[in-house]
């Protein structure tokens, strides 16, 4: 076989490797806060007792002082 190095210009068309535009990412949505703003109250879904919501502490981690039910966002 007299074929030595295979560095011929075979098979490489013009413009190879284009076409993948790196899409800029979409804005991140903040997570699972259900659209409630900061502050506000938590409310017990069972007896209606309200408690002040502490920012950074989800309402469902707070138990109702009256009945012990986990509170939800008012
Ligand atoms: Zn309650």
């Amino acid at each position: 076989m007299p074929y030595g190095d295979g560095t011929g210009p075979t098979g490489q068309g013009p413009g190879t490797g284009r076409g993948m535009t790196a899409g800029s990412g979409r804005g991140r949505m903040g997570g699972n806060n259900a659209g409630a703003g900061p502050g506000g109250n938590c409310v017990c879904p069972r007896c209606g007792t309200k408690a002040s919501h502490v920012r950074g502490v989800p309402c469902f981690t707070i138990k109702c002082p009256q009945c012990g039910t986990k509170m939800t966002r008012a």
Side-chain angles (χ1 to χ4, degrees):
M1 290 293 200
Y3 288 94
D5 48 355
T7 53
T10 41
Q12 294 188 357
T16 3
R18 283 290 179 95
M20 297 280 283
T21 26
S24 57
R26 305 169 194 166
R28 304 175 189 167
M29 298 301 286
N32 37 7
N33 278 348
N41 288 323
C42 301
V43 64
C44 173
R46 189 168 178 177
C47 70
T49 300
K50 290 179 182 176
S52 60
H53 173 247
V54 181
R55 182 172 183 173
V57 181
C59 285
F60 57 81
T61 65
I62 302 171
K63 288 184 178 179
C64 173
Q66 299 295 322
C67 67
T69 305
K70 291 176 184 175
M71 309 197 68
T72 61
R73 195 65 184 263

